[in-house]
Amino acid sequence: IAGHDGGTGASPLSSIQSAGVPWEIGLAETQQALLESGLRTRVVLQTDGQMRTGRDVVIGGLLGADEIGLSTAPLIATGCIMMRVCHLNTCPVGVATQDPELRARFSGKPEHVINYLVLVAEESRRLMAALGVRRFSDLVGRTELLRQRDGLDHWKASSLDLSPLLAVPAKARRAPRGFVPGDAKEHPVGASFDERKLLGPAAPAIERGDPISYATTVTNIDLAVGGRVSNALVVARGPDGLAEDTIKFDLTGSAGQSAGAWLAPGVTINVAGDVNDYAGKGLSGGVLAVRPAATAGYRAERNVIAGNVALYGATAGKAFFRGLAGERFAVRNSGALAVVEGIGEHGCEYMTGGCVVVLGPTGRNFAAGMSGGIACIWDPEDEFPPNCNMGMVELEPVHADGNEFLRGLVAEHERRTGSTVAAGLLERWDEAASEFVVVIPPGFRAALAHTAPPAKGRTINLA
């Protein structure tokens, strides 16, 4: 339950002041609804939204929160001064910026956050002791320990009635008011998709580095496919994983949310069908390739094959989508390479690294808050510029030193997905390259120029 005062430091003032409601209202209503339905012991409630003190933590618990989230205050403990320019790459204390001169000013240390959280915990303990409560779990939902302050001489507060926030449904007054471990029902599917189908075939690669290939079906109730395999691989062999395509899974069907999440180096997932939201979330070095099923009777480039927020927070690896993806494609991507044949609105939002190639249409507000990385948009009809948010980026043609890199990505897209769009571009590449628009933040261009070796015929490392 997130309160209206929380959120990114780049939020506009109008949103902060005019959108959402306080967490107290949302938490109280959620708590009462779960108690009324008999589901409270099976659900963990967490709340956040400008939690700063031990008093905030205790009140959150009394209103029904099992867990409390603190974000802004620990950030301030590291040196943030709330300039609210997180999206402009100009953070004066070096927290939210790619500028090396500004980052050099960052003075935060882990001990600063540790000290702050210890003080919050100590204040919470003192208040709990005053209330006669030993454990936080015994505090949850005890609204009888709260009362509204009386005698406030304020024209608003004097007429305010907070009793609905403290109410407890009659049928639930003797029931537990917080999460009870063991009461949560097991997921009807049982073990995860990775545990049931992928970890066994992947064992020879994880244990000995032997290449493996395995094919199976997947459905939309199979979540975070590949995540557990990547975890096992990194635990066994470290963050560098294995050579590309050592572990190959060929899946047929409709993969559930977060397919290919956190894929480690060496893991490749090929999906013949489609994927839901958050495909490739946190991609960490593996490869995700999605194409229509062999029996599909539609043109891939005109149909959606991936949901919203694909590649959210990806840091490395490659992703290829033969078809359209939804909104917020590659939001917060910081290092992955991706090719897609059309996306919805807010593409490459807050992107800081990597390269995204769009072989088709883009929605509005492309590149909002994009402070790093490069996007290459195939725009033969010159329709893209109005869709681009020019606040932090510039548009330019494909330069000679990036031409071969771009062609290589398009060629790999064609090889991994069988894309007819990519094949058509490759057949006339000399002409097609001039139809691309490169979207790049000026600061990122300067960083590339500063770090690229002065060797003759150099190529820019977009990863």
Side-chain angles (χ1 to χ4, degrees):
I1 310 299
H4 67 114
D5 284 329
T8 171
S11 297
L13 195 60
S14 58
S15 296
I16 295 171
Q17 294 180 343
S18 307
V21 296
W23 60 264
E24 293 91 340
I25 296 175
L27 176 60
E29 291 188 355
T30 303
Q31 171 80 350
Q32 292 165 19
L34 290 171
L35 287 172
E36 184 70 35
S37 62
L39 297 174
R40 182 61 186 92
T41 60
R42 294 165 55 183
V43 177
V44 177
L45 284 184
Q46 182 184 104
T47 191
D48 62 60
Q50 295 301 328
M51 298 290 192
R52 296 178 179 176
T53 66
R55 181 177 183 273
D56 296 333
V57 170
V58 170
I59 291 177
L62 293 172
L63 286 176
D66 300 290
E67 300 175 353
I68 308 295
L70 296 93
S71 299
T72 302
L75 187 64
I76 291 175
T78 67
C80 170
I81 58 174
M82 296 291 286
M83 289 294 291
R84 294 196 175 276
V85 292
C86 312
H87 58 306
L88 299 180
N89 200 39
T90 59
C91 177
V93 291
V95 176
T97 176
Q98 302 295 314
D99 188 321
E101 293 187 11
L102 295 175
R103 293 178 68 174
R105 301 179 185 179
F106 180 66
S107 58
K109 297 180 179 179
E111 291 78 11
H112 297 159
V113 178
I114 293 170
N115 185 56
Y116 164 73
L117 292 176
V118 167
L119 293 173
V120 170
E122 287 301 317
E123 182 185 4
S124 301
R125 287 163 59 87
R126 287 196 296 270
L127 291 172
M128 289 168 57
L131 293 171
V133 177
R134 179 182 294 272
R135 298 176 302 180
F136 190 82
S137 58
D138 297 331
L139 185 80
V140 175
R142 298 279 301 278
T143 54
E144 69 273 13
L145 299 178
L146 285 171
R147 67 174 178 84
Q148 184 174 348
R149 293 173 60 186
D150 299 323
L152 293 178
D153 185 18
H154 189 278
W155 67 277
K156 284 185 178 180
S158 60
S159 61
L160 189 63
D161 180 13
L162 298 180
S163 59
L165 272 67
L166 308 180
V168 177
K171 61 185 291 186
R173 287 173 185 165
R174 295 181 179 274
R177 301 183 190 177
F179 174 72
V180 177
D183 273 16
K185 302 293 184 182
E186 289 189 6
H187 194 285
V189 178
S192 71
F193 182 84
D194 282 31
E195 292 173 302
R196 289 183 287 114
K197 293 191 174 184
L198 303 186
L199 279 171
I206 294 173
E207 296 169 3
R208 301 187 299 273
D210 299 339
I212 69 100
S213 182
Y214 178 72
T216 186
T217 57
V218 67
T219 68
N220 63 3
I221 64 172
D222 299 319
L223 310 179
V225 173
R228 294 292 296 273
V229 170
S230 295
N231 170 261
L233 174 60
V234 171
V235 168
R237 310 186 73 88
D240 293 335
L242 293 164
E244 187 171 283
D245 295 332
T246 301
I247 300 175
K248 292 177 64 176
F249 297 122
D250 295 315
L251 310 180
T252 302
S254 179
Q257 289 197 357
S258 303
W262 313 295
L263 283 189
V267 182
T268 297
I269 292 182
N270 300 309
V271 179
D274 56 67
V275 292
N276 276 255
D277 295 346
Y278 288 97
K281 174 176 66 179
L283 190 70
S284 301
V287 178
L288 175 64
V290 187
R291 65 186 188 279
T295 57
Y298 54 79
R299 292 180 60 180
E301 65 272 21
R302 294 188 178 180
N303 288 271
V304 175
I305 199 167
N308 297 319
V309 208
L311 300 178
Y312 175 80
T315 59
K318 302 173 185 176
F320 304 92
F321 301 90
R322 184 185 172 188
L324 307 177
E327 298 186 355
R328 289 196 154 87
F329 184 87
V331 57
R332 298 192 185 278
N333 173 34
S334 62
L337 310 179
V339 183
V340 64
E341 299 185 356
I343 59 175
E345 298 179 351
H346 315 296
C348 296
E349 186 178 33
Y350 295 130
M351 186 164 141
T352 60
C355 179
V356 170
V357 179
V358 183
L359 305 181
T362 64
R364 296 175 298 174
N365 200 35
F366 186 91
M370 179 179 173
S371 60
I374 292 177
C376 301
I377 315 299
W378 181 47
D379 186 34
E381 305 299 329
D382 197 30
E383 297 174 343
F384 169 72
N387 288 336
C388 191
N389 185 320
M390 301 299 297
M392 296 182 62
V393 299
E394 295 177 351
L395 306 182
E396 57 188 43
V398 177
H399 294 296
D401 56 357
N403 186 301
E404 192 57 32
F405 180 87
L406 175 59
R407 186 184 185 283
L409 268 183
V410 174
E412 185 169 1
H413 177 64
E414 191 275 335
R415 175 172 62 84
R416 290 186 180 273
T417 69
S419 170
T420 55
V421 174
L425 291 173
L426 293 169
E427 287 179 0
R428 57 180 192 89
W429 184 252
D430 290 342
E431 175 190 0
S434 65
E435 299 171 354
F436 279 85
V437 176
V438 176
V439 182
I440 182 170
F444 190 72
R445 185 199 298 111
L448 289 175
H450 179 73
T451 58
K456 193 173 182 179
R458 73 186 184 200
T459 59
I460 293 179
N461 179 10
L462 299 177

